[in-house]
Amino acid sequence: MLSKEQITSLLSAIPDPEIPVINIKELGVLRDVVVNGNEVEIIITPTYSGCPAMKQIEDDIISSLERNGIENVKVKMVYHPAWTTDWITDEAKEKLRKYGIAPPEKTTADKGALMGKKRALECPRCGSKNTVMISQFGSTACKALFQCSDCKEPFDYFKCI
Amino acid sequence: MTKQEALFNYCLRLADTSLILAQRNAEWCGHGPFLEEDLALTNLSLDLIGQANSIYQYAAQVEGKARNEDDLAYHRSEREFLNTLIAEQSNGDYAKTILRQFFCDTFDFYFYAELVKSKDETLSAIAEKSIKEITYHLRHTSSWVERLGDGTEESHTRMQDALNEIWRFTGEMFEMNEVDTILIKEGIAVDLNSIKSKWESKSKEILDRATIKIPANAFMQRGSREAKHTEHLGFILAEMQSLPRALPDAKW
């Protein structure tokens, strides 16, 4: 049987199905790995209640472990503590930016960006802070839609919750 | 009524309301007034389905009869659904859809903030998760109620018409019965009297800003606590449940 650390590192190779540049560990969806004899329990939490990627993530976890000879797998979904964008690692935020998605700021510092108040979000393409929110809702539940007033490109913002 | 029966009933009330409201909003998919609002409503719908899903899962566990969340959503009939009447009202125009959602969001915002304190750990965790999403929803719908009400003559008239039509379904959201009595005693349920004044003052604040007026001495329709519905629910279920009922063994 693989150790908790080995399993965690295996699962860290699983990309988020909707934002494949970051993995489920750095996104904060993978919460814990519990090894009990020949049984493994994987604890995950959804970013949003209705996130349609959760089923895919569960399937990916099970098949990844099966490929490594672990058959006795249980995936458990927990809601508490509720997922927050603060769990996304700094490294993952940088990956988001390079991918064209403005990463979430700290929840304590943010909020204003989505409440329509003046707040300078940086365009992930040209770096300008001259940006406006187009919609609080974007291509997936976790994102809002912004546009850069300088390079004119629309971009996704990973909203803070 | 046992505590278990009360809890099952309570979960259904919450999950049914979220699901039926989600189904209504989803009817806008591809028909929104413009792309961003189309996306907003479907996003909102998805959050509500997610919330309903987690509560149905818990309800199934509480009931202990080997039913799952899909059985509860797709294999119960109209007189078993406990969703609020406001959730099932027809979409009408965009003003009516937004106003209906605004009243439900305002209710949910205060309700789930209280439910976080529930002694039932599962409901508390679901509430903790949901409140983050509801906060977004409320921000979105309250800004639209204000924008449309205090907008053009046309949008103002439509928002006022929507209010005249929907207002009578807002009263029963706060109705409590034996289920509430049992669960409040256990520290599980939210005392709806405790959130009513907050709901009223938030609604009034936004309606004032939208320059629309609450109908005076309005009759308040009730019934959902006894699973008595308006003419709409049967049609919603007929559409929503047709596939799983026609092909009960179908798997994704």
Side-chain angles (χ1 to χ4, degrees):
Chain A
M1 181 51 120
L2 299 175
S3 70
K4 175 178 170 162
E5 287 70 27
Q6 287 169 313
I7 292 172
T8 307
S9 127
L10 262 179
L11 298 180
S12 298
I14 298 176
D16 176 79
E18 286 176 343
I19 311 165
V21 286
I22 54 176
N23 69 54
I24 58 171
K25 174 83 169 52
E26 54 195 4
L27 180 60
V29 163
L30 176 63
R31 299 312 301 155
D32 204 3
V33 171
V34 184
V35 182
N36 198 351
N38 66 342
E39 256 181 38
V40 180
E41 190 175 49
I42 312 295
I43 316 285
I44 56 173
T45 195
T47 52
Y48 279 73
S49 306
C51 179
M54 292 313 286
K55 183 73 183 95
Q56 184 63 47
I57 290 174
E58 190 180 327
D59 291 349
D60 290 347
I61 289 173
I62 291 170
S63 62
S64 160
L65 295 180
E66 269 176 5
R67 278 199 306 276
N68 287 277
I70 304 170
E71 306 251 315
N72 214 340
V73 183
K74 239 175 46 193
V75 179
K76 189 178 165 196
M77 180 124 93
V78 296
Y79 295 97
H80 173 84
W83 181 83
T84 160
T85 39
D86 288 349
W87 291 347
I88 300 178
T89 61
D90 287 342
E91 201 190 346
K93 284 182 183 173
E94 199 40 47
K95 290 184 195 168
L96 284 173
R97 193 191 316 277
K98 285 190 180 138
Y99 189 59
I101 299 172
E105 304 187 4
K106 283 280 172 205
T107 47
T108 41
D110 175 84
K111 297 292 183 211
L114 282 153
M115 289 173 81
K117 284 180 192 148
K118 263 282 185 223
R119 176 163 186 90
L121 256 193
E122 204 177 282
C123 169
R125 297 178 200 280
C126 74
S128 162
K129 288 199 167 177
N130 189 11
T131 58
V132 287
M133 185 175 77
I134 296 173
S135 173
Q136 284 186 47
F137 300 90
S139 57
T140 64
C142 51
K143 285 178 267 153
L145 192 61
F146 276 70
Q147 186 177 22
C148 175
S149 303
D150 284 333
C151 74
K152 308 290 182 201
E153 282 289 329
F155 64 90
D156 276 330
Y157 168 59
F158 207 118
K159 52 194 182 196
C160 286
I161 62 166
Chain B
M1 187 183 279
T2 65
K3 180 188 154 191
Q4 183 199 13
E5 285 162 351
L7 185 55
F8 179 62
N9 183 294
Y10 195 70
C11 289
L12 289 183
R13 193 197 284 177
L14 304 182
D16 288 345
T17 299
S18 297
L19 180 67
I20 296 301
L21 190 58
Q23 178 72 12
R24 274 302 192 206
N25 285 330
E27 287 172 19
W28 277 101
C29 187
H31 302 276
F34 53 92
L35 185 61
E36 285 77 13
E37 277 312 289
D38 202 295
L39 285 175
L41 274 184
T42 40
N43 261 289
L44 230 134
S45 183
L46 187 61
D47 287 341
L48 289 167
I49 290 172
Q51 291 157 17
N53 188 56
S54 51
I55 301 173
Y56 279 135
Q57 281 174 348
Y58 183 49
Q61 187 192 323
V62 169
E63 188 193 34
K65 287 187 182 164
R67 289 205 277 185
N68 65 20
E69 62 272 27
D70 286 342
D71 297 326
L72 294 175
Y74 296 126
H75 295 280
R76 285 185 306 132
S77 61
E78 194 185 344
R79 286 302 308 273
E80 295 169 273
F81 266 72
L82 293 168
N83 62 279
T84 53
L85 299 180
I86 191 170
E88 72 200 33
Q89 295 312 301
S90 61
N91 284 343
D93 58 14
Y94 208 65
K96 188 177 165 191
T97 292
I98 284 292
L99 188 65
R100 180 188 63 200
Q101 185 64 37
F102 165 72
F103 284 141
C104 294
D105 286 343
T106 309
F107 179 89
D108 286 351
F109 182 75
Y110 296 116
F111 177 82
Y112 283 100
E114 286 299 312
L115 194 64
V116 171
K117 303 173 202 158
S118 172
K119 282 186 183 160
D120 184 297
E121 282 177 15
T122 308
L123 286 181
S124 164
I126 292 170
E128 183 190 344
K129 180 83 204 155
S130 305
I131 194 74
K132 293 188 176 203
E133 294 154 6
I134 292 160
T135 308
Y136 273 110
H137 301 175
L138 179 58
R139 204 175 291 153
H140 186 73
T141 50
S142 55
S143 78
W144 270 108
V145 169
E146 186 179 343
R147 199 182 309 183
L148 292 174
D150 190 23
T152 63
E153 203 181 319
E154 171 81 18
S155 69
H156 172 85
T157 308
R158 284 175 181 248
M159 195 45 97
Q160 183 65 56
D161 288 349
L163 180 60
N164 296 346
E165 209 180 323
I166 292 179
W167 181 252
R168 68 190 141 146
F169 299 111
T170 57
E172 63 134 30
M173 292 198 285
F174 301 94
E175 196 179 303
M176 294 192 281
N177 58 18
E178 193 190 351
V179 170
D180 301 78
T181 314
I182 293 169
L183 297 179
I184 287 172
K185 212 177 286 170
E186 299 280 342
I188 294 173
V190 174
D191 184 346
L192 297 179
N193 288 324
S194 75
I195 60 167
K196 193 170 185 206
S197 61
K198 292 181 192 165
W199 181 90
E200 283 169 347
S201 89
K202 179 73 181 174
S203 296
K204 194 170 177 319
E205 177 202 328
I206 300 297
L207 297 178
D208 279 352
R209 275 201 250 153
T211 69
I212 53 172
K213 291 193 173 58
I214 295 171
N217 306 318
F219 163 76
M220 285 291 177
Q221 180 64 51
R222 56 172 304 280
S224 78
R225 297 290 191 253
E226 289 100 53
K228 289 177 185 160
H229 292 276
T230 59
E231 68 274 29
H232 301 292
L233 186 66
F235 292 100
I236 298 175
L237 297 184
E239 186 175 23
M240 186 181 81
Q241 299 180 333
S242 62
L243 189 68
R245 284 193 188 250
L247 302 163
D249 301 323
K251 293 257 179 308
W252 279 108

